[in-house]
Amino acid sequence: MEANKTFTQMVDFQEVMFNNTFNLMKTFQSQGEALMNMSLEQNPWLPEDGKKVCSYWNETCQKGMANYKEFMDTGFTKAREIFGPQAEKTAKK
């Protein structure tokens, strides 16, 4: 019983740490995107195909980050389900 509570607290702590770190990474990503877009707009010598590649790369990074966040949120939810209140009831039987 106590071990389940401790594990749940540990999962909560890890989730908070992950969310804080992820939000920091997301901020860096958006700042990098803004810098890249500004640089692409101000450089007329860069071919249009190069701009498209950079745009595609940025979209891929955003999708990857969204998928990673969803994956981690699912993992935290499943960890809570495994060691949550229902697990304590099952362990008592």
Side-chain angles (χ1 to χ4, degrees):
M1 287 186 272
E2 219 31 59
N4 287 346
K5 183 178 177 183
T6 303
F7 184 79
T8 303
Q9 289 174 343
M10 187 175 68
V11 169
D12 291 341
F13 174 75
Q14 292 295 326
E15 184 176 23
V16 168
M17 292 300 294
F18 169 77
N19 286 331
N20 290 341
T21 305
F22 184 81
N23 288 336
L24 181 65
M25 288 185 345
K26 196 173 177 182
T27 301
F28 284 141
Q29 174 70 25
S30 65
Q31 291 296 317
E33 177 187 353
L35 183 63
M36 181 185 71
N37 288 335
M38 185 172 37
S39 177
L40 292 176
E41 290 171 6
Q42 293 180 1
N43 290 318
W45 50 266
L46 190 64
E48 197 61 37
D49 288 342
K51 292 178 182 181
K52 288 179 183 177
V53 168
C54 290
S55 177
Y56 176 75
W57 172 65
N58 186 45
E59 290 172 9
T60 303
C61 287
Q62 288 178 353
K63 288 178 185 176
M65 286 184 70
N67 289 341
Y68 181 62
K69 174 78 167 128
E70 183 180 338
F71 174 77
M72 291 301 291
D73 287 343
T74 302
F76 287 127
T77 302
K78 288 187 179 188
R80 279 195 195 86
E81 288 173 1
I82 292 171
F83 293 98
Q86 283 116 5
E88 289 179 13
K89 291 177 187 175
T90 306
K92 289 181 182 178
K93 291 183 181 179

